[in-house]
Structures are given as structure tokens and as C-alpha cells.
Amino acid sequence: MAESFALRLEQVERHYKQGDDRLTILDAADVGISAGEMVALVAPSGAGKSTLLHIAGLLERPNAGEVYIDGEACGSLGDDRRTEMRRRSIGFVYQFHHLLPEFSALENVMLPQMILGRSRAEAAERSRELLDYMRIGKRADHRPAELSGGEQQRVAIARAVANAPHVLLADEPTGNLDPTTAGYVFDALTALVRQSGVAALIATHNHELAARMDRAVTIDTGKVVPLQID
């Protein structure tokens, strides 16, 4: 069953020790996302959204359960293989863009490609294509400080998909933007997901944006359950 999803979490458990007590964040959590699908993750602060994203992105190991990326079980993988999976198969977009300030927009998108061994010329060509697709190509040679918040976040999205990942994880990607800019960035993100076929799990508090995705889920007593957005 895991093979039919680009991303699949099965019976994932995550808990932490607090003195003599155990704090359970995820309890037999299940979720699967297909290629080209956008799923909104909507839950209050403290419910476990970031934990779920970290486990899905192989940044954190669950106490039990399994994470599948393109059908490959990742729970028993060593650190080197998990790092390789993150670089090749998973893209991350955060609420804060985390662009490197000393590099231009173009160079920020080039860097993850060059880390994987793509030549500078090849990386530059793909980066310009992505920035053009995100309608920010004319700002490619500007540094982050010279870009607006919406422009910076579009660069961050381009960087996240630069290595053609199969899974895209986003944590409040429009949380720092005004409603108009947030809508524009979300439109660009949606177009990119549809065009590339990446499986996207997007944490957001914005119900209007969540309603525009394919479906929404929430975290209830540690389990991932469907959420109806009005």
C-alpha cells in the first residue's frame, strides 16, 4: 500500500519524556499523499504539526512506525542515506525563507543543485527557469535584502524544488505575508505542484488557503484525521 503514495506515514508514534511523565505527540498516526496532491495540515499550535513534518522530512526519527518515501522504508536507514534522501527526494519551505543573504536569488537556487554534483552552468540554467516560472526571473541577480517578502518566499520555493524532489513539505509558507501577497505566493506554489507532480504537505493556519487544496487533515489526540474546511 505504501508504494501507491509518494509520501506515507504508517502507525507513527512520537513521544517525549517530561520528568517521570511521557508526553505523546503522535499516536499511531497515518497519512498518505500521492504525486501531484496538495494536502493541508491544519491544527492548533502544540498539536504536533512541526513534529509530523520533521518526521516526514527525515529530520527526526519516530519512536515507532514507518515513513515511506516513494515506497522506500526509511526508518532503518543510516544517517548518510537519510541525508541523501533529504537532498534528492524532499524539498522544504519554511515560514521564514532562510535564504543565504550573501548570495543572489539565482545563487540561492543553484546551491542545492551544485551540492548534488550538477555543474554550475546546468544549475544556473535550471535556476533561471524556476525563477522565471515563479515570475521573479527579473530579480534573479538581487540579494535577499533587495527583495520583498513575497519575492523572497518565491525564491525559497524555487530552491525547495530545484532538485526535482518527489515530496514537498511546507510549514506556514505564507504565514509572514499579507493576505494579497500570501494569495499570490500560494497560487505560484499550486502551479508548481501541479506542473511538477510533487506530493505536497502544507501546514497552515489559513483556512481560506486550506480550502483551495485537494483535502485537509488535522491532528486529534495524536492521530491524523480528515478535516472538513467550511
Side-chain angles (χ1 to χ4, degrees):
M1 183 176 182
E3 288 77 5
S4 63
F5 296 102
L7 170 66
R8 174 74 178 173
L9 275 64
E10 287 188 353
Q11 298 291 292
V12 166
E13 297 183 12
R14 189 69 176 105
H15 53 77
Y16 303 93
K17 293 286 289 183
Q18 285 191 333
D20 294 331
D21 298 325
R22 188 172 86 166
L23 177 63
T24 298
I25 305 299
L26 299 174
D27 181 16
D30 288 296
V31 64
I33 304 175
S34 301
E37 184 180 27
M38 295 182 73
V39 176
L41 175 59
V42 183
S45 297
K49 295 192 305 296
S50 294
T51 298
L52 184 70
L53 289 173
H54 289 168
I55 290 174
L58 308 184
L59 294 170
E60 188 173 337
R61 293 182 186 268
N63 296 104
E66 188 57 274
V67 178
Y68 296 90
I69 304 292
D70 287 333
E72 180 176 353
C74 300
S76 61
L77 297 179
D79 290 341
D80 289 346
R81 176 59 178 155
R82 287 168 69 87
T83 298
E84 182 183 0
M85 290 284 285
R86 286 195 299 270
R87 288 175 176 172
R88 292 185 179 276
S89 299
I90 305 170
F92 297 91
V93 181
Y94 299 98
Q95 181 173 355
F96 300 98
H97 53 77
H98 296 303
L99 298 176
L100 297 175
E102 65 270 29
F103 295 105
S104 68
L106 181 71
E107 290 167 335
N108 267 278
V109 182
M110 289 172 60
L111 282 173
Q113 301 174 69
M114 295 175 67
I115 288 172
L116 277 188
R118 185 169 287 175
S119 72
R120 185 177 184 87
E122 290 173 328
E125 181 179 4
R126 175 161 172 78
S127 297
R128 289 193 184 279
E129 290 174 353
L130 285 169
L131 292 173
D132 284 341
Y133 191 86
M134 298 298 291
R135 299 184 181 179
I136 196 175
K138 293 182 179 179
R139 308 281 281 168
D141 295 325
H142 289 69
R143 293 186 179 182
E146 301 171 312
L147 304 175
S148 69
E151 289 172 336
Q152 290 172 349
Q153 198 64 317
R154 278 182 278 159
V155 174
I157 293 170
R159 179 183 59 186
V161 300
N163 286 327
H166 298 154
V167 174
L168 179 65
L169 303 171
D171 194 356
E172 298 286 352
T174 62
N176 278 337
L177 306 176
D178 65 82
T180 299
T181 304
Y184 189 86
V185 170
F186 181 78
D187 287 343
L189 176 59
T190 300
L192 195 59
V193 169
R194 303 308 188 202
Q195 188 273 335
S196 66
V198 67
L201 178 62
I202 302 173
T204 181
H205 283 104
N206 190 322
H207 281 219
E208 181 180 345
L209 295 183
R212 295 170 58 188
M213 299 189 215
D214 297 309
R215 58 188 171 96
V217 297
T218 189
I219 300 174
D220 185 9
T221 60
K223 292 179 169 53
V224 179
V225 297
L227 178 66
Q228 182 65 43
I229 301 291
D230 296 326

